[in-house]
Amino acid sequence: MREVRLMQVSLIIAVSMVVAGSEIIDFSESDANEENEFESEALTFAEADEAGQEEAVGRDNTGGDDGGRINFGLFTGGTAMLLSIFMGSVVLEVMKVALLGAIVTPFLSTMISVRDDLLTRGRILGYLEGNAGIHFSALRDALGLANGVTAYHLQILESKGEVLSWRNGKLRRYAVSGLSSEEIARIRNPVSGTRLAILQVLSESGLVGATGKNIQIKLKISRQLLSHHMRELRINDLIEPAEEKKRPRWRISSKGIAALANSLEFSQSQ
């Protein structure tokens, strides 16, 4: 992915700045030590003029300060860049996926066996076929995989053309590559597949609404998958809480009713 390559370049630049700054410190200290030794040796042969000594000390201090400033700028700039990358990966899933792909993937590629690779990728492909458009974190949690392992296999599958991905706000979503443009358009539409079924359940529940547990039982889906689809429906204002509670009952909104009607008409015309 382009984001992974960009992340790798950014990390190389940041680390190089930190290393370069550290090396300048070493050279500055080394030069200062050599100069001090030279001055000590010279003083054993002749007594230096007091004014000359003060001028030399002034020059030494100035040179040391310049070296310190050069080092401070490089070291601080590189450190700030690294901190920005890591903090951004905490907030944005897109940056997290890119960072994992840039750092973890090269190491995992030499550690994971071919058999384990095939099994894990088969699980990912099978899950994506049934849940196209799912985002990185939901896929990771549903399959019980670690961040690095998930990013590694998704990157390999995408490089082979078996999986496609796209950015959706702060998230990165995935689907199998065999989908048509019409199917991809429907996936990006919040009312399709499981989400359409959720709206139908809530429509039947009326104003009273239904709890997440009730929806999960009726549709026979996992809690993680239900949470993923409910969040998307909530973001698009297609559902709303029916009561003011920490875990409220949910009901379909007026916008959701219109979207449900349009989706049912579309499916009947196919």
Side-chain angles (χ1 to χ4, degrees), residues 28 34 58 67 91 101 107 123 171 208 220 224 240 247:
S28 298
E34 291 178 359
V91 178
F107 293 101
R123 291 179 61 203
L171 306 175
V208 177
K220 298 180 180 180
Q224 294 90 344
E240 59 188 13
R247 294 184 177 179

Side-chain angles (χ1 to χ4, degrees), residues 148-165:
V149 174
T150 308
Y152 164 69
H153 288 295
L154 285 172
Q155 185 177 350
I156 296 297
L157 289 170
E158 192 167 359
S159 66
K160 291 183 176 181
E162 298 182 52
V163 165
L164 56 88
S165 69

Side-chain angles (χ1 to χ4, degrees), residues 16-270:
S16 299
M17 291 174 66
V18 173
V19 173
S22 301
E23 289 179 350
I24 289 174
I25 280 183
D26 295 338
F27 289 141
S28 298
E29 291 178 351
S30 176
D31 292 343
N33 291 334
E34 291 178 359
E35 190 170 350
N36 289 335
E37 291 177 1
F38 176 78
E39 289 180 357
S40 298
E41 185 177 349
L43 287 174
T44 59
F45 294 99
E47 182 177 358
D49 180 76
E50 183 176 353
Q53 288 181 349
E54 292 177 355
E55 184 179 355
V57 171
R59 286 196 302 269
D60 293 342
N61 291 338
T62 302
D65 290 343
D66 291 341
R69 281 196 295 270
I70 294 173
N71 166 73
F72 182 78
L74 287 173
F75 188 85
T76 304
T79 303
M81 191 172 179
L82 288 174
L83 287 175
S84 299
I85 291 173
F86 287 111
M87 291 299 294
S89 66
V90 174
V91 178
L92 302 176
E93 184 180 86
V94 174
M95 286 192 66
K96 178 173 70 175
V97 174
L99 182 62
L100 289 171
I103 296 179
V104 180
T105 299
F107 293 101
L108 287 179
S109 61
T110 61
M111 296 171 58
I112 302 177
S113 67
V114 175
R115 181 174 177 274
D116 290 339
D117 275 354
L118 296 176
L119 289 174
T120 304
R121 289 172 199 166
R123 291 179 61 203
I124 292 175
L125 285 174
Y127 201 83
L128 288 178
E129 287 179 0
N131 301 278
I134 192 170
H135 63 83
F136 178 86
S137 298
L139 175 63
R140 174 203 62 198
D141 295 341
L143 296 180
L145 300 174
N147 276 324
V149 174
T150 308
Y152 164 69
H153 288 295
L154 285 172
Q155 185 177 350
I156 296 297
L157 289 170
E158 192 167 359
S159 66
K160 291 183 176 181
E162 298 182 52
V163 165
L164 56 88
S165 69
W166 62 92
R167 182 172 179 175
N168 179 217
K170 298 179 180 180
L171 306 175
R172 176 158 290 279
R173 301 188 179 278
Y174 297 86
V176 292
S177 58
L179 299 176
S180 64
S181 57
E182 292 79 9
E183 289 173 320
I184 294 176
R186 286 199 297 269
I187 291 170
R188 297 189 179 190
N189 187 327
V191 185
S192 62
T194 304
R195 296 172 197 171
L196 180 61
I198 293 174
L199 289 183
Q200 288 177 309
V201 171
L202 293 179
S203 178
E204 295 170 358
S205 301
L207 295 177
V208 177
T211 64
K213 187 66 175 178
N214 292 337
I215 300 172
Q216 181 184 348
I217 293 173
K218 286 186 177 181
L219 299 182
K220 298 180 180 180
I221 58 177
S222 66
R223 181 177 59 84
Q224 294 90 344
L225 187 59
L226 175 65
S227 176
H228 158 66
H229 290 299
M230 291 288 286
R231 186 184 304 112
E232 296 301 319
L233 291 171
R234 184 74 178 91
I235 290 174
N236 289 277
D237 296 324
L238 300 179
I239 62 174
E240 59 188 13
E243 53 191 351
E244 295 294 333
K245 287 185 178 180
K246 185 177 181 180
R247 294 184 177 179
R249 302 174 71 88
W250 294 93
R251 66 188 177 196
I252 188 170
S253 65
S254 56
K255 183 178 178 181
I257 294 174
L260 175 60
N262 292 334
S263 297
L264 291 176
E265 289 178 5
F266 176 81
S267 61
Q268 291 173 359
S269 64
Q270 298 300 307

